[in-house]
Amino acid sequence: MAPHMGRRLRKGAGTTAVAALAVAALSASQAPGVVHANSPIDQAASDATPTPSSTPDTPASGNSPYYTDLPPLVSPTPPPNASTGTLPGGDQQGIPATVLDAYKRAQAALATDRPKCHLPWQLLGGIGKVESGHANGGRVDVNGRTLTPILGPVLNGAGFANITDTDGGAYDGDRVHDRAVGPMQFIPSTWASSGRDGNGDGVKDPNNVYDASLAAGFYLCGGSRDLAVKADLDKAILSYNQSQEYLTTVTTWFDFYRRGSHEVPDGTGSLPVRRSDQTPAPRTIGKQPPVTPATPPSTKPAPTPTVPPVKPPVPPTRPDGGGTTPKPTTPRPTTFENTGAKELTAFTGGAFAGQPTARVKDASGKAMAKVSVKFEIVGDTDTRFAGAATSATVTTAADGTATAPALTSGEKTGTFTVRATVSTASLPAIEWKATVVARQADALLRSDAKELTAVASGEFAAQVSLKATYKGAVASGVTASAAMVEAPAAGADPKAAPKVNDKGPYFKDAKGNPVRELKDLKTDANGALVLPKMYADGQVGTFLLRVTTEGGATLTLELKVAAAS
């Protein structure tokens, strides 16, 4: 609703009667494109059918006021508007360009994410019309954000629901009570659970028509509803505002847009004038008083007017003179190309090098903005987009490119696919091969310079403390192994793994038994690795300890055992 609203009043019998007349006339007109045979716009069927039960949850708008203007009816004698007694002025079929784009993109996203819901954009159009007049006639910026806040009345129980503040005033500026916010009039508590990012900017903003339209679509599709079924459609609308009049008004606009609509420039949309919290203006019905002429009528016969011949209109021609000017058509996506990395790689638990990026073009090769591109993670992996999501819909920028949200790998190594598709066109998908490998280190260094010495049958005074790095940075969570090894024989292959020594220094297992090889060691968050205590058997001399990490970092240390004194 508009930022300023009066108190909500109960409608009188006169308003209900006028609304019934308008609705019944629409049914009688038998206009094409009506969605249901028993639609709420058919007053006789509505009277005979019980009111559908509303959702038990708090309605999305908190039952805030809404616009009650009805569209012009397609009939020989259109009835008056339900609230004002007159037909609405302006281009009622025109929807502001950015707002219409938001509705259609929400439909495309839901067609992929909730295909069984069958959400039509015209339903979002009907709700957007009665909730905010399509964002106050399309007064939004290039990103879809309203130029001024759209706030419902304070929900303090004075004629409305009593909803104590749930957002600390973050959305509605009120720290005492909640207010419905934005072009689709979500109350903050509902937005907290139902908000969506519809334009891919990483923010869920109820004042953005793209975010609000996508959130409304998901909200209407809740509870596994199929909006192609009348009962589910009615329940969905009532979940927004628990009023039979609201259901009738939204459905009427829904059916009106199904019969036809078109795009108008932002900021030029027709504004509704009547709200459900206002009393309709009184109407006087009766004969008009006669008009007294200012001068007596002349007795002379009136001269016969000369009517100039009417020339038939000349249709506009093309610049080359080759006939009528063709009607402009909306460009369609015809090219979908990869403009990002060809392959994606990451260590477990880390970010990927490069991001999936694609560009959409039309038939003339021109980049297309505001096209919905869906990115999906396909395969056996725990890699996710932000918010632990496996899919994300992004809209193309002015240069026609769409970049997937940042990918974060999990702990599962292996290969999978990232796939991108254009939601509104049947174009070949783009796929990226993505690989997750275990964390690696390319260097190992001792953290101290203590000598590693012991006497026979004793224990080493110092423990081995190491630090692992990868390209100079701390290498955390890297798998490592340690082994007491034999010195390589003369002429042995330097790349061959040395044999594990079966005598000399050793570690102990959980039962206290000697072991000379440890596996599955891990560096900590700082890349540090401290080996367990070491012990010496009865052998004396110099021995070798070899530590190796995932990625190939290796460090060999000398252990010296002296005879007991």
Side-chain angles (χ1 to χ4, degrees):
M1 296 304 299
H4 176 71
M5 294 185 178
R7 60 190 182 89
R8 189 172 191 172
L9 302 176
R10 295 183 177 87
K11 292 186 178 294
T15 304
T16 305
V18 173
L21 173 62
V23 172
L26 176 59
S27 175
S29 70
Q30 296 298 310
V34 176
V35 178
H36 335 288
N38 293 326
S39 168
I41 63 171
D42 183 338
Q43 187 64 41
S46 178
D47 291 341
T49 304
T51 301
S53 60
S54 59
T55 175
D57 301 324
T58 302
S61 67
N63 287 335
S64 292
Y66 55 91
Y67 287 113
T68 59
D69 301 59
L70 293 176
L73 307 181
V74 183
S75 77
T77 55
N81 178 275
S83 298
T84 66
T86 60
L87 288 173
D91 180 4
Q92 293 296 330
Q93 286 186 311
I95 299 177
T98 299
V99 181
L100 180 59
D101 183 54
Y103 296 154
K104 291 184 176 180
R105 280 164 57 177
Q107 172 186 281
L110 269 296
T112 301
D113 292 335
R114 298 288 190 278
K116 294 182 180 179
C117 177
H118 303 108
L119 171 78
W121 71 259
Q122 292 90 343
L123 177 58
L124 296 175
I127 290 178
K129 180 69 174 180
V130 304
E131 291 293 350
S132 68
H134 299 312
N136 284 343
R139 285 157 179 79
V140 296
D141 62 20
V142 294
N143 298 314
R145 200 173 197 274
T146 57
L147 299 180
T148 56
I150 302 176
L151 296 174
V154 177
L155 298 176
N156 57 6
F160 312 104
N162 188 354
I163 303 179
T164 304
D165 175 62
T166 61
D167 66 330
Y171 294 123
D172 55 14
D174 191 329
R175 297 188 176 184
V176 180
H177 294 90
D178 274 348
R179 302 173 71 175
V181 181
M184 302 304 271
Q185 289 288 275
F186 277 94
I187 56 175
S189 58
T190 303
W191 182 260
S193 59
S194 301
R196 291 291 191 279
D197 177 12
N199 60 355
D201 62 358
V203 179
K204 299 176 183 178
D205 182 3
N207 294 297
N208 186 289
V209 70
Y210 288 103
D211 296 358
S213 296
L214 184 61
F218 274 96
Y219 188 87
L220 293 166
C221 288
S224 302
R225 296 188 187 106
D226 180 358
L227 302 184
V229 178
K230 179 182 182 302
D232 281 1
L233 175 66
D234 292 346
K235 289 178 182 177
I237 297 172
L238 286 170
S239 74
Y240 229 87
N241 191 308
Q242 298 168 338
S243 161
Q244 180 66 31
E245 278 193 77
Y246 182 85
L247 172 64
T248 300
T249 307
V250 170
T251 309
T252 303
W253 280 106
F254 169 42
D255 290 336
F256 177 71
Y257 290 135
R258 287 288 291 254
R259 292 195 296 274
S261 64
H262 56 268
E263 178 183 297
V264 297
D266 288 344
T268 66
S270 177
L271 295 175
V273 296
R274 284 293 172 184
R275 299 191 301 266
S276 61
D277 60 332
Q278 294 177 325
T279 303
R283 297 186 299 119
T284 302
I285 302 175
K287 295 182 179 181
Q288 297 296 322
V291 178
T292 303
T295 58
S298 175
T299 57
K300 295 181 180 181
T304 303
T306 302
V307 180
V310 179
K311 295 181 180 181
V314 179
T317 59
R318 297 199 304 265
D320 60 2
T324 58
T325 302
K327 183 179 180 180
T329 57
T330 303
R332 295 183 60 81
T334 58
T335 302
F336 190 40
E337 58 188 9
N338 178 15
T339 58
K342 293 183 178 179
E343 292 189 2
L344 311 169
T345 58
F347 293 130
T348 51
F352 280 79
Q355 285 180 278
T357 305
R359 177 180 284 116
V360 180
K361 297 180 180 178
D362 61 18
S364 66
K366 183 179 178 181
M368 295 187 66
K370 297 184 178 180
V371 177
S372 294
V373 176
K374 182 175 183 179
F375 294 92
E376 298 176 272
I377 298 172
V378 182
D380 183 15
T381 179
D382 55 359
T383 295
R384 295 291 184 266
F385 293 118
T390 58
S391 66
T393 300
V394 178
T395 55
T396 56
D399 62 354
T401 61
T403 302
L407 285 163
T408 302
S409 66
E411 296 300 319
K412 183 176 290 186
T413 60
T415 301
F416 60 95
T417 299
V418 177
R419 179 181 300 151
T421 54
V422 177
S423 303
T424 57
S426 299
L427 296 175
I430 299 175
E431 293 187 347
W432 292 265
K433 178 183 177 183
T435 304
V436 177
V437 297
R439 296 177 180 87
Q440 297 181 2
D442 56 12
L444 271 175
L445 297 173
R446 282 199 67 188
S447 302
D448 58 51
K450 294 179 181 178
E451 287 192 357
L452 302 175
T453 60
V455 296
S457 300
E459 67 179 49
F460 285 81
Q463 288 182 251
V464 176
S465 180
L466 306 172
K467 185 170 184 179
T469 59
Y470 182 79
K471 295 183 178 180
V474 168
S476 61
V478 177
T479 302
S481 61
M484 306 296 179
V485 298
E486 297 178 355
D493 183 358
K495 295 182 180 180
K499 293 178 61 177
V500 176
N501 206 337
D502 60 357
K503 57 186 176 181
Y506 61 89
F507 303 105
K508 288 183 179 180
D509 63 14
K511 296 181 179 180
N513 298 318
V515 290
R516 292 183 169 86
E517 185 175 16
L518 300 175
K519 295 183 178 180
D520 297 326
L521 304 172
K522 291 274 188 180
T523 61
D524 65 13
N526 298 313
L529 177 64
V530 179
L531 300 185
K533 274 189 174 184
M534 298 180 296
Y535 303 86
D537 61 9
Q539 302 291 321
V540 296
T542 299
F543 301 88
L544 300 179
L545 168 64
R546 188 172 188 260
V547 183
T548 305
T549 69
E550 187 75 38
T554 301
L555 182 64
T556 302
L557 303 173
E558 287 188 349
L559 309 179
K560 295 181 179 181
V561 179
S565 59

